[in-house]
Amino acid sequence: MPFDACCGRYLPPEAAPAPTAEALMRSRYSAYVMGNEPYLMATWHATTRPERLGLADEQPRPRWLGLSIVRSEGGQNTDTHGLVEFVARYKIQGRAFRLHETSRFLKEDGRWWYVDGDLQDS
C-alpha cells in the first residue's frame, strides 16, 4: 500500500486523526522513520507522554527496515480501547535489531492516543 494511502495522510498537523488504533500505530512508526517527533508527541496520551524523545540526538540513528503487525484487538471506530502488537525491524551500524511491543491505545473525544506499551522478548 502506498505511504500516502496508509500512514502519511495522518502526519500533517492539519490532517484528520487516525481512525483506528492500528492506523495510529502505523502512522507513529512512519513518524519514527522520518524523525517526526512533533507528531509522536501530539499522538501520545498526556498522562504518559514524556517531555521529549530526543530523536534528533540519537547517534547513530537507526535505519528502520519495516513494520509487521502481529495482532490488533479492539481499536475500531466504536471501541474506546485498543491493543496492537507489532515487530519493527531496524539496523544500527549494520547490526539488525527487532523491537517487539504490545502497545495500548485509548480513544478520547473521538481521537485515538498511544498510551504505553510492553516490550516482548523476540
Side-chain angles (χ1 to χ4, degrees), residues 4-120:
D4 288 338
C6 168
C7 316
R9 63 183 164 171
Y10 306 119
L11 297 175
E14 68 280 0
T20 65
E22 185 175 327
L24 180 58
M25 173 63 241
R26 291 178 181 279
S27 68
R28 286 177 55 83
Y29 169 79
S30 297
Y32 271 105
V33 170
M34 300 168 62
N36 186 343
E37 189 166 328
Y39 180 79
L40 293 166
M41 299 301 282
T43 57
W44 205 314
H45 196 271
T47 60
T48 57
R49 181 176 49 232
E51 286 188 34
R52 68 185 293 270
L53 293 174
L55 296 182
D57 301 334
E58 288 183 331
Q59 293 301 325
R61 291 200 52 162
R63 185 169 60 92
W64 295 95
L65 304 172
L67 174 71
S68 298
I69 302 298
V70 176
R71 68 186 167 110
S72 185
E73 296 177 8
Q76 298 301 310
N77 201 23
T78 58
D79 297 318
T80 57
H81 292 80
L83 185 107
V84 180
E85 181 180 355
F86 69 91
V87 174
R89 297 176 301 108
Y90 62 99
K91 281 188 176 182
I92 296 178
Q93 294 182 326
R95 186 166 173 220
F97 297 92
R98 292 167 42 108
L99 172 67
H100 186 174
E101 180 177 303
T102 301
S103 299
R104 284 177 284 280
F105 296 85
L106 177 65
K107 189 174 186 181
E108 288 182 342
D109 300 321
R111 183 179 188 133
W112 283 103
W113 302 92
Y114 170 77
V115 177
D116 61 14
D118 295 321
L119 294 177
Q120 309 295 319

